[in-house]
Amino acid sequence: MPRFGILTSGGDCPGLNAVIRSAYIRVTREYGGSLVGFRNGWRGVLDNDVVEVTEDMTRGVAGQGGTILGTSRTNPTEGEDALERVWHAIEANDLDGVIAIGGEGSLSAAHALSCAGIKVVGVPKTIDNDLNGTDYSFGFDTAVQIATDAMDRLLTTGASHGRCMIAEVMGRNSGWIALHSGIATGAHAVLIPEHPVSLDQVVEWVESARDRNQPPLVVVAEGFPLDDGEVYNPRGAEASGRPRLGGIGERLAPLVEARTGIETRATTLGHIQRGGTPTAYDRVLAARFGAAAVDAAASAQWGQMVALAGEQIVRADLVDAIGSVKRITAERYGRAAVCFG
Ligand code: F6P
């Protein structure tokens, strides 16, 4: 009977629990096997901190945000005895392999472990939707919906006060959340890292909206670089050295106000976008990924991850998901930009 480990790694993301639940159901009902959860991502593997996944644990969790297993940004390839500790956890729990649910950083670690002989299957997760190798990752739809709802609210304040509203969204160095929520709300400008525009252009879009008696709404992705080409990073770096993003909206607001004379306010949506109930779409995608990951592990497809291609769940090499992010093309941005201003 197969026995797999499962872990959630990196930032939390709506839909993680739906993956765990679905993997549990699949491994027990389809294969007569069992599932062991590692607490707090790869840290739980290094420390052999485990919990047996049970029906009680997974009952009713598909609609819950966060992760019942906890998460961390621990890198399991760092530290002299890291690999030994990973082997130890796998042997101590009598595992046939590990299902790792994570974003680019976590799947890179999974790939490195796989190259070292550890049996790993990946499940792509990120609200940023920037993972190569899959058309969409779960969590993204929820983040876009939350951002869209928030911007609909900002628009009414903008209209009532005659203000320009700036909404800053997450996404790291990609603009997927910004572009999709911006299109959904009919924003007058969407500023994304992949295709930076000048402050002059932003001002032109804002003034054009104001001149038509529209309260200007600007959506800016946290990784958008201003005219100096630098991504705004006032908060230093994470333990891994990765910059902490956030704050570009507040930086942009006085610049827009000074140039346009329109009172301008910025709102940073932050972790609100990652928390709470997943949308139905994300629950379904997560459930499909969870079941498919168990199937991949049961057929020893190590070093692979599950992915969405069109409407189909497929398998891709972990290496396809790492190294570079999925970019918004100039053509796609250009089509959206026709509606700005
Ligand atoms: O990758 C998901 C994400 O929410 C990014 O959009 C954001 O830059 C980052 O994580 C924030 O990470 P943390 O919660 O560790 O500050």
Side-chain angles (χ1 to χ4, degrees):
M1 301 301 157
R3 182 166 167 80
F4 301 127
I6 191 165
L7 62 93
T8 53
S9 171
D12 71 330
C13 176
L16 288 169
N17 291 326
V19 179
I20 299 166
R21 174 177 176 273
S22 165
Y24 171 75
I25 291 173
R26 188 76 177 171
V27 77
T28 53
R29 295 194 191 172
E30 182 69 21
Y31 297 98
S34 53
L35 196 63
V36 173
F38 287 103
R39 290 199 186 89
N40 303 317
W42 292 108
R43 197 197 309 153
V45 179
L46 296 179
D47 296 346
N48 192 21
D49 184 4
V50 295
V51 57
E52 190 73 29
V53 179
T54 62
E55 185 167 344
D56 271 359
M57 230 176 117
T58 54
R59 188 175 298 127
V61 300
Q64 278 176 28
T67 160
I68 54 173
L69 291 176
T71 187
S72 70
R73 295 199 187 276
T74 299
N75 185 337
T77 61
E78 268 171 22
E80 254 178 33
D81 58 348
L83 200 55
E84 251 171 65
R85 289 161 75 181
V86 175
W87 278 116
H88 169 73
I90 289 174
E91 280 165 16
N93 295 289
D94 203 16
L95 301 180
D96 295 304
V98 175
I99 295 170
I101 314 169
E104 209 259 334
S106 312
L107 295 183
S108 296
H111 173 65
L113 291 178
S114 170
C115 293
I118 308 276
K119 296 172 175 172
V120 192
V121 163
V123 176
K125 72 89 218 180
T126 168
I127 62 165
D128 303 338
N129 198 41
D130 61 349
L131 271 171
N132 272 319
T134 185
D135 286 354
Y136 284 98
S137 48
F138 64 86
F140 173 63
D141 187 64
T142 305
V144 168
Q145 189 58 56
I146 292 169
T148 301
D149 290 345
M151 287 173 206
D152 285 346
R153 290 170 195 277
L154 292 176
L155 271 174
T156 62
T157 294
S160 305
H161 290 261
R163 289 176 181 161
C164 170
M165 304 303 278
I166 297 181
E168 178 187 310
V169 298
M170 282 184 163
R172 292 214 64 82
N173 299 108
S174 75
W176 290 100
I177 299 176
L179 189 66
H180 280 225
S181 58
I183 291 171
T185 38
H188 301 98
V190 177
L191 314 179
I192 63 173
E194 292 92 331
H195 304 290
V197 293
S198 64
L199 184 61
D200 287 346
Q201 175 65 84
V202 179
V203 165
E204 194 184 311
W205 281 330
V206 166
E207 288 180 334
S208 155
R210 187 264 320 268
D211 293 348
R212 286 178 292 108
N213 290 324
Q214 307 255 351
L217 173 67
V218 177
V219 183
V220 61
E222 62 182 359
F224 173 75
L226 260 184
D227 281 346
D228 56 10
E230 290 294 315
V231 172
Y232 193 51
N233 170 27
R235 298 190 299 144
E238 296 168 357
S240 66
R242 191 174 82 148
R244 278 186 213 284
L245 303 183
I248 180 68
E250 288 290 357
R251 182 165 177 224
L252 194 58
L255 300 175
V256 170
E257 182 165 315
R259 290 280 302 273
T260 62
I262 307 170
E263 187 182 4
T264 302
R265 296 291 176 87
T267 301
T268 303
L269 300 185
H271 291 90
I272 301 280
Q273 294 157 97
R274 251 171 45 191
T277 313
T279 58
Y281 178 88
D282 278 340
R283 295 183 209 190
V284 172
L285 181 57
R288 293 177 78 197
F289 276 175
V294 166
D295 290 344
S299 51
Q301 299 298 301
W302 312 119
Q304 301 263 298
M305 68 169 196
V306 295
L308 184 70
E311 278 306 304
Q312 303 301 317
I313 304 293
V314 297
R315 290 174 194 159
D317 274 339
L318 273 173
V319 77
D320 293 344
I322 62 179
S324 64
V325 293
K326 186 168 63 192
R327 289 172 56 83
I328 293 169
T329 62
E331 199 258 338
R332 190 157 180 170
Y333 184 66
R335 280 175 178 273
V338 171
C339 307
F340 298 166

